[in-house]
PDB file of all heavy atoms in Angstrom:
ATOM      1  N   ALA A  25       2.947   2.448   7.493  1.00  0.00           N
ATOM      2  CA  ALA A  25       1.790   2.443   8.401  1.00  0.00           C
ATOM      3  C   ALA A  25       1.698   1.050   9.010  1.00  0.00           C
ATOM      4  O   ALA A  25       1.962   0.041   8.329  1.00  0.00           O
ATOM      5  CB  ALA A  25       0.511   2.770   7.653  1.00  0.00           C
ATOM      6  N   GLN A  28       0.168  -2.130   7.425  1.00  0.00           N
ATOM      7  CA  GLN A  28       0.729  -2.488   6.132  1.00  0.00           C
ATOM      8  C   GLN A  28       2.071  -3.215   6.245  1.00  0.00           C
ATOM      9  O   GLN A  28       2.485  -3.880   5.303  1.00  0.00           O
ATOM     10  CB  GLN A  28       0.881  -1.225   5.271  1.00  0.00           C
ATOM     11  CG  GLN A  28      -0.465  -0.610   4.936  1.00  0.00           C
ATOM     12  CD  GLN A  28      -0.337   0.629   4.077  1.00  0.00           C
ATOM     13  OE1 GLN A  28      -0.238   1.736   4.607  1.00  0.00           O
ATOM     14  NE2 GLN A  28      -0.319   0.474   2.765  1.00  0.00           N
ATOM     15  N   HIS A 120      -4.176   5.665  11.030  1.00  0.00           N
ATOM     16  CA  HIS A 120      -3.843   5.454   9.618  1.00  0.00           C
ATOM     17  C   HIS A 120      -4.665   4.247   9.143  1.00  0.00           C
ATOM     18  O   HIS A 120      -4.234   3.101   9.235  1.00  0.00           O
ATOM     19  CB  HIS A 120      -2.339   5.206   9.451  1.00  0.00           C
ATOM     20  CG  HIS A 120      -1.868   5.298   8.030  1.00  0.00           C
ATOM     21  ND1 HIS A 120      -0.820   6.110   7.627  1.00  0.00           N
ATOM     22  CD2 HIS A 120      -2.302   4.706   6.897  1.00  0.00           C
ATOM     23  CE1 HIS A 120      -0.629   5.995   6.318  1.00  0.00           C
ATOM     24  NE2 HIS A 120      -1.520   5.137   5.848  1.00  0.00           N
ATOM     25  N   VAL A 121      -5.872   4.518   8.762  1.00  0.00           N
ATOM     26  CA  VAL A 121      -6.832   3.556   8.176  1.00  0.00           C
ATOM     27  C   VAL A 121      -7.452   2.559   9.171  1.00  0.00           C
ATOM     28  O   VAL A 121      -8.654   2.365   9.166  1.00  0.00           O
ATOM     29  CB  VAL A 121      -6.239   2.793   6.955  1.00  0.00           C
ATOM     30  CG1 VAL A 121      -7.257   1.834   6.360  1.00  0.00           C
ATOM     31  CG2 VAL A 121      -5.738   3.764   5.881  1.00  0.00           C
ATOM     32  N   ASN A 164      -4.550  10.246   9.081  1.00  0.00           N
ATOM     33  CA  ASN A 164      -4.006  10.150   7.732  1.00  0.00           C
ATOM     34  C   ASN A 164      -5.147  10.120   6.723  1.00  0.00           C
ATOM     35  O   ASN A 164      -6.029   9.265   6.803  1.00  0.00           O
ATOM     36  CB  ASN A 164      -3.191   8.865   7.578  1.00  0.00           C
ATOM     37  CG  ASN A 164      -2.636   8.712   6.168  1.00  0.00           C
ATOM     38  OD1 ASN A 164      -1.720   9.432   5.779  1.00  0.00           O
ATOM     39  ND2 ASN A 164      -3.208   7.807   5.388  1.00  0.00           N
ATOM     40  N   GLU A 165      -5.136  11.052   5.800  1.00  0.00           N
ATOM     41  CA  GLU A 165      -6.066  11.084   4.667  1.00  0.00           C
ATOM     42  C   GLU A 165      -7.536  10.826   5.034  1.00  0.00           C
ATOM     43  O   GLU A 165      -8.096   9.784   4.689  1.00  0.00           O
ATOM     44  CB  GLU A 165      -5.634  10.076   3.604  1.00  0.00           C
ATOM     45  CG  GLU A 165      -4.309  10.410   2.973  1.00  0.00           C
ATOM     46  CD  GLU A 165      -4.031   9.578   1.724  1.00  0.00           C
ATOM     47  OE1 GLU A 165      -4.945   8.883   1.251  1.00  0.00           O
ATOM     48  OE2 GLU A 165      -2.907   9.656   1.217  1.00  0.00           O
ATOM     49  N   SER A 168      -9.676   9.664   2.160  1.00  0.00           N
ATOM     50  CA  SER A 168      -9.549   8.272   1.700  1.00  0.00           C
ATOM     51  C   SER A 168     -10.344   7.328   2.598  1.00  0.00           C
ATOM     52  O   SER A 168     -10.917   6.342   2.117  1.00  0.00           O
ATOM     53  CB  SER A 168      -8.087   7.825   1.711  1.00  0.00           C
ATOM     54  OG  SER A 168      -7.329   8.685   0.938  1.00  0.00           O
ATOM     55  N   ASN A 221      -4.435  14.142   1.450  1.00  0.00           N
ATOM     56  CA  ASN A 221      -4.010  13.771   0.101  1.00  0.00           C
ATOM     57  C   ASN A 221      -4.462  14.859  -0.874  1.00  0.00           C
ATOM     58  O   ASN A 221      -5.630  15.256  -0.863  1.00  0.00           O
ATOM     59  CB  ASN A 221      -4.680  12.432  -0.241  1.00  0.00           C
ATOM     60  CG  ASN A 221      -4.144  11.831  -1.521  1.00  0.00           C
ATOM     61  OD1 ASN A 221      -3.177  12.317  -2.089  1.00  0.00           O
ATOM     62  ND2 ASN A 221      -4.788  10.773  -1.970  1.00  0.00           N
ATOM     63  N   ASN A 263       0.240  14.334   1.195  1.00  0.00           N
ATOM     64  CA  ASN A 263       0.457  13.104   0.429  1.00  0.00           C
ATOM     65  C   ASN A 263       0.104  13.404  -1.017  1.00  0.00           C
ATOM     66  O   ASN A 263      -0.975  13.951  -1.297  1.00  0.00           O
ATOM     67  CB  ASN A 263      -0.443  11.965   0.919  1.00  0.00           C
ATOM     68  CG  ASN A 263      -0.014  11.404   2.262  1.00  0.00           C
ATOM     69  OD1 ASN A 263       0.983  11.848   2.840  1.00  0.00           O
ATOM     70  ND2 ASN A 263      -0.750  10.430   2.755  1.00  0.00           N
ATOM     71  N   TYR A 265       0.218  11.622  -5.018  1.00  0.00           N
ATOM     72  CA  TYR A 265       0.499  10.452  -5.847  1.00  0.00           C
ATOM     73  C   TYR A 265       0.270  10.643  -7.337  1.00  0.00           C
ATOM     74  O   TYR A 265       1.063  10.211  -8.144  1.00  0.00           O
ATOM     75  CB  TYR A 265      -0.350   9.252  -5.381  1.00  0.00           C
ATOM     76  CG  TYR A 265       0.175   8.637  -4.113  1.00  0.00           C
ATOM     77  CD1 TYR A 265      -0.259   9.095  -2.872  1.00  0.00           C
ATOM     78  CD2 TYR A 265       1.124   7.627  -4.143  1.00  0.00           C
ATOM     79  CE1 TYR A 265       0.239   8.548  -1.698  1.00  0.00           C
ATOM     80  CE2 TYR A 265       1.632   7.070  -2.975  1.00  0.00           C
ATOM     81  CZ  TYR A 265       1.187   7.540  -1.753  1.00  0.00           C
ATOM     82  OH  TYR A 265       1.696   7.002  -0.606  1.00  0.00           O
ATOM     83  N   TRP A 297      -2.036   4.378 -12.207  1.00  0.00           N
ATOM     84  CA  TRP A 297      -2.155   5.776 -11.764  1.00  0.00           C
ATOM     85  C   TRP A 297      -1.252   6.644 -12.637  1.00  0.00           C
ATOM     86  O   TRP A 297      -0.029   6.404 -12.708  1.00  0.00           O
ATOM     87  CB  TRP A 297      -1.708   5.921 -10.301  1.00  0.00           C
ATOM     88  CG  TRP A 297      -2.562   5.194  -9.310  1.00  0.00           C
ATOM     89  CD1 TRP A 297      -3.670   4.448  -9.574  1.00  0.00           C
ATOM     90  CD2 TRP A 297      -2.369   5.134  -7.890  1.00  0.00           C
ATOM     91  NE1 TRP A 297      -4.183   3.926  -8.400  1.00  0.00           N
ATOM     92  CE2 TRP A 297      -3.397   4.332  -7.354  1.00  0.00           C
ATOM     93  CE3 TRP A 297      -1.423   5.669  -7.020  1.00  0.00           C
ATOM     94  CZ2 TRP A 297      -3.519   4.060  -5.999  1.00  0.00           C
ATOM     95  CZ3 TRP A 297      -1.535   5.404  -5.661  1.00  0.00           C
ATOM     96  CH2 TRP A 297      -2.578   4.613  -5.156  1.00  0.00           C
ATOM     97  N   GLU A 322       4.035  11.655   2.132  1.00  0.00           N
ATOM     98  CA  GLU A 322       3.998  10.483   1.250  1.00  0.00           C
ATOM     99  C   GLU A 322       4.064  10.929  -0.199  1.00  0.00           C
ATOM    100  O   GLU A 322       3.425  11.928  -0.586  1.00  0.00           O
ATOM    101  CB  GLU A 322       2.694   9.677   1.403  1.00  0.00           C
ATOM    102  CG  GLU A 322       2.577   8.874   2.660  1.00  0.00           C
ATOM    103  CD  GLU A 322       1.264   8.093   2.734  1.00  0.00           C
ATOM    104  OE1 GLU A 322       0.758   7.634   1.689  1.00  0.00           O
ATOM    105  OE2 GLU A 322       0.735   7.964   3.852  1.00  0.00           O
ATOM    106  N   TRP A 360       6.924   7.164  -0.108  1.00  0.00           N
ATOM    107  CA  TRP A 360       6.099   5.998   0.182  1.00  0.00           C
ATOM    108  C   TRP A 360       6.555   4.892  -0.733  1.00  0.00           C
ATOM    109  O   TRP A 360       6.343   4.990  -1.921  1.00  0.00           O
ATOM    110  CB  TRP A 360       4.590   6.270  -0.034  1.00  0.00           C
ATOM    111  CG  TRP A 360       3.793   5.072   0.391  1.00  0.00           C
ATOM    112  CD1 TRP A 360       3.406   4.021  -0.382  1.00  0.00           C
ATOM    113  CD2 TRP A 360       3.335   4.786   1.724  1.00  0.00           C
ATOM    114  NE1 TRP A 360       2.751   3.077   0.378  1.00  0.00           N
ATOM    115  CE2 TRP A 360       2.698   3.532   1.674  1.00  0.00           C
ATOM    116  CE3 TRP A 360       3.416   5.449   2.952  1.00  0.00           C
ATOM    117  CZ2 TRP A 360       2.126   2.938   2.803  1.00  0.00           C
ATOM    118  CZ3 TRP A 360       2.851   4.859   4.061  1.00  0.00           C
ATOM    119  CH2 TRP A 360       2.213   3.616   3.981  1.00  0.00           C
ATOM    120  N   GLU A 367      -0.814  -3.408   0.453  1.00  0.00           N
ATOM    121  CA  GLU A 367      -1.437  -2.218  -0.132  1.00  0.00           C
ATOM    122  C   GLU A 367      -2.968  -2.315  -0.007  1.00  0.00           C
ATOM    123  O   GLU A 367      -3.690  -2.406  -0.981  1.00  0.00           O
ATOM    124  CB  GLU A 367      -0.958  -2.064  -1.583  1.00  0.00           C
ATOM    125  CG  GLU A 367      -1.492  -0.868  -2.350  1.00  0.00           C
ATOM    126  CD  GLU A 367      -1.354   0.470  -1.633  1.00  0.00           C
ATOM    127  OE1 GLU A 367      -0.365   0.695  -0.928  1.00  0.00           O
ATOM    128  OE2 GLU A 367      -2.272   1.296  -1.785  1.00  0.00           O
ATOM    129  N   TRP A 368      -3.418  -2.345   1.240  1.00  0.00           N
ATOM    130  CA  TRP A 368      -4.845  -2.339   1.560  1.00  0.00           C
ATOM    131  C   TRP A 368      -5.634  -3.337   0.703  1.00  0.00           C
ATOM    132  O   TRP A 368      -5.197  -4.474   0.568  1.00  0.00           O
ATOM    133  CB  TRP A 368      -5.401  -0.905   1.473  1.00  0.00           C
ATOM    134  CG  TRP A 368      -4.629   0.028   2.375  1.00  0.00           C
ATOM    135  CD1 TRP A 368      -3.910   1.126   2.007  1.00  0.00           C
ATOM    136  CD2 TRP A 368      -4.470  -0.075   3.815  1.00  0.00           C
ATOM    137  NE1 TRP A 368      -3.317   1.707   3.113  1.00  0.00           N
ATOM    138  CE2 TRP A 368      -3.648   1.001   4.232  1.00  0.00           C
ATOM    139  CE3 TRP A 368      -4.940  -0.958   4.786  1.00  0.00           C
ATOM    140  CZ2 TRP A 368      -3.298   1.202   5.569  1.00  0.00           C
ATOM    141  CZ3 TRP A 368      -4.581  -0.755   6.112  1.00  0.00           C
ATOM    142  CH2 TRP A 368      -3.782   0.314   6.493  1.00  0.00           C
ATOM    143  N   PHE A 376       5.441  -0.755  -3.789  1.00  0.00           N
ATOM    144  CA  PHE A 376       5.777   0.660  -3.621  1.00  0.00           C
ATOM    145  C   PHE A 376       7.145   0.875  -2.966  1.00  0.00           C
ATOM    146  O   PHE A 376       7.545   2.002  -2.727  1.00  0.00           O
ATOM    147  CB  PHE A 376       4.732   1.339  -2.724  1.00  0.00           C
ATOM    148  CG  PHE A 376       3.484   1.825  -3.418  1.00  0.00           C
ATOM    149  CD1 PHE A 376       2.361   1.017  -3.526  1.00  0.00           C
ATOM    150  CD2 PHE A 376       3.410   3.113  -3.936  1.00  0.00           C
ATOM    151  CE1 PHE A 376       1.195   1.475  -4.139  1.00  0.00           C
ATOM    152  CE2 PHE A 376       2.254   3.584  -4.544  1.00  0.00           C
ATOM    153  CZ  PHE A 376       1.151   2.768  -4.644  1.00  0.00           C
TER     154      PHE A 376
HETATM  155  C1  BGC B   1      -1.957   5.845   2.072  1.00  0.00           C
HETATM  156  C2  BGC B   1      -1.053   4.625   2.169  1.00  0.00           C
HETATM  157  C3  BGC B   1      -1.134   3.848   0.871  1.00  0.00           C
HETATM  158  C4  BGC B   1      -0.641   4.734  -0.252  1.00  0.00           C
HETATM  159  C5  BGC B   1      -0.588   4.077  -1.618  1.00  0.00           C
HETATM  160  C6  BGC B   1      -1.831   6.572   0.764  1.00  0.00           C
HETATM  161  O1  BGC B   1      -3.045   7.084   0.415  1.00  0.00           O
HETATM  162  O2  BGC B   1      -1.727   6.698   3.154  1.00  0.00           O
HETATM  163  O3  BGC B   1      -1.460   3.866   3.270  1.00  0.00           O
HETATM  164  O4  BGC B   1      -0.460   2.650   0.901  1.00  0.00           O
HETATM  165  O5  BGC B   1      -1.499   5.839  -0.345  1.00  0.00           O
HETATM  166  O6  BGC B   1      -1.857   3.709  -2.016  1.00  0.00           O
END
Side-chain angles (χ1 to χ4, degrees):
Q28 295 180 269
H120 193 127
V121 181
N164 179 72
E165 295 192 10
S168 304
N221 189 8
N263 287 359
Y265 284 89
W297 295 359
E322 287 180 34
W360 185 269
E367 181 50 36
W368 304 119
F376 275 92

